[in-house]
Amino acid sequence: MRFVRRILPLAAALAAALAAAAPPAAHAADRKAAGKGRFDWCSDVVVWPDVRRNQVNSRCVPKWRDEEIADGARVVMLGSFTDVAKANEATVPPGPCAMEETHRARGEYVKRLRELRRKQGGAPLLVMHESRFDIVSAPIAAEPGFDADFLVRTDRPWRQVLDFFANDTSPACRRGGRDGCRFTFAFGAWEKRFRGVWLNDLIDRSGGPKRHESAVYYLVRGNQVKQLYWPTAVLADLRNPAYRAWRVRLAKRALEVGGYDAITLNQKFHMYRKQYWIDGPMAPNAAALRGKLGDETLWTAPPRGYGYAEYVEGWAALAKDLRAAGVPYAIDTISGWLRGRPDDPKTKSRNEDRMIREAVKGARIVLFEHASDPRLAAFRRELEAAGVSVVPVDPKCGYAKK
C-alpha cells in the first residue's frame, strides 16, 4: 500500500484533536442535523471511498458500496496530493485494488456515483477532491510549468539531513541490518524503480545541479519504514504568485476532468506553530520518529523565513486567487483551529484570524466541527447566510467501517 493511502490515520488523529473540546450535547444536535449520520465522523460525509478498498481472495471489496453512498451520503471526499489529470512519468502504477491516481480515473467514479444518486433520488452529491497546495509531490512536479523557484529554501546543510539518519545509533537504526538508517529519494524506498524521475531529479531539472539540497521535504512517517527514510513531497512557498497561478491552473483542470464540485484548500496551520523538523526538539533522533511521532509527517529542515504568518499570508492569497479564477474550493474541519488563537501577535500590520475567516467565508463547502463556543456558532451562521454549504461533522467518531 503506497504512502498516499496512509494519510488517513493522521487526518483522523488531527481531526480528533481539533474536536476534543466539543460537548456531547452539541454533538447530538449536529448529528440530528446531519441526517442519517451513518458514514464517517458521525455524519453524512464519506471519506476516500476510492481508497478504502481491501483485497479479499481475488476480489476487491470496498468499505462502502457505491449504492450505499448514493443512498445516503451528502459529501464524498476523494483523491490525494499526487493526482494529476493523466498519468505522467512520475506516476506510480496502481496496486491491485487501488484506483489510478488521475483525475480522469476518479472522474469516471464520480460519474458512476452521480448516476446512482440520480436513479435513487435525493439532493445531488457534493464531491470534494482532497488536494494539497502547500506541497508538491513527484507527479505534480512532473507536470508542465513546474519551477524549482516555487519551493521554500532552508539554510540547513544537506549533509546534516543525511547524517541525522546515517549517524543515528538508537535501537531503531541498529536493529535490522548493519547499514543502519539512511535517507533515500527513491519513491517508497524502491531504489531500483523510477530512477531519473525521483523528486530530487525533477527539482534539479528546473533549478540546476544540487538545487534539491536546499529544499524542505515532507518525510514518510516513521511507523511506515524500517531503515530507509524517503520524502513524500517538497514544501512550496504559497506567497509566490507564479506558484499559485500554476496550481490554480492545475485545479481548474482537475475540476474539468474529475467533475468535482470543489477542490479542498487544505490547511496545516498547526505545523507552522511548532518546530516540525527532524534534528530539533520534536525529533532529536530517528528513534523519536518511530515513537509517539510515528504517525506524524516531519520535515527534513526548517524553512528559511517561512513561518506561521508567512504561511497564512500565502494561504489566504491562494483562496483569493481561486475565487478570482472561478475555482470553487472546500475547507475541511477548520473551526477547531479558529477556536484557539489564530492571530500571530508578532505581526502588527495584519490579523491572521481575520484572513483565515475571510478565506473560509469564500468557500463552497465547509466541514464544520461541533462546538459550543458562541463565537463559532455565530461564524457558522455567517457562513450559511453567505451561501456556504456547511456540513456538521464529529471527527471524534473517527472513520466508520475501517
Side-chain angles (χ1 to χ4, degrees), residues 363-390:
R364 166 84 193 281
I365 307 167
V366 173
L367 303 188
F368 208 92
E369 299 108 312
H370 307 279
S372 60
D373 189 322
R375 295 170 300 173
L376 285 183
F379 184 53
R380 175 174 168 176
R381 290 192 294 271
E382 279 186 55
L383 296 178
E384 292 171 334
V388 179
S389 294
V390 178

Side-chain angles (χ1 to χ4, degrees), residues 137-270:
S137 62
I140 299 295
E143 290 289 281
F146 171 73
D147 193 318
D149 287 341
F150 294 161
L151 308 177
V152 301
R153 290 177 177 266
T154 180
D155 293 322
R156 172 172 287 180
W158 184 243
R159 185 73 253 170
Q160 187 175 338
V161 175
L162 300 179
D163 287 348
F164 175 81
F165 300 104
N167 295 341
D168 199 289
T169 59
S170 63
C173 288
R174 290 201 307 267
R175 186 172 58 247
R178 66 175 184 271
D179 293 332
C181 289
R182 181 164 56 85
F183 180 88
T184 177
F185 274 105
F187 181 91
W190 299 327
E191 294 190 301
K192 295 183 179 179
R193 303 178 65 184
F194 310 110
R195 188 176 295 276
V197 288
W198 293 348
L199 193 50
N200 60 314
D201 299 317
L202 297 167
I203 293 171
D204 288 352
R205 281 188 198 178
S206 169
K210 296 188 177 183
R211 170 62 178 90
H212 70 274
E213 294 186 359
S214 60
V216 177
Y217 301 91
Y218 263 51
L219 282 171
V220 63
R221 292 174 182 172
N223 60 12
Q224 297 171 8
V225 302
K226 293 182 179 179
Q227 290 180 301
L228 290 185
Y229 287 81
W230 50 281
T232 60
V234 63
L235 207 65
D237 189 338
L238 289 173
R239 297 171 302 172
N240 187 321
Y243 173 70
R244 297 198 307 268
W246 179 61
R247 292 304 303 261
V248 168
R249 288 194 296 272
L250 292 180
K252 292 189 75 168
R253 184 63 177 153
L255 288 172
E256 294 168 1
V257 177
Y260 317 114
D261 293 290
I263 303 294
T264 300
L265 175 58
N266 74 291
Q267 56 83 14
K268 292 296 179 183
F269 299 134
H270 70 289

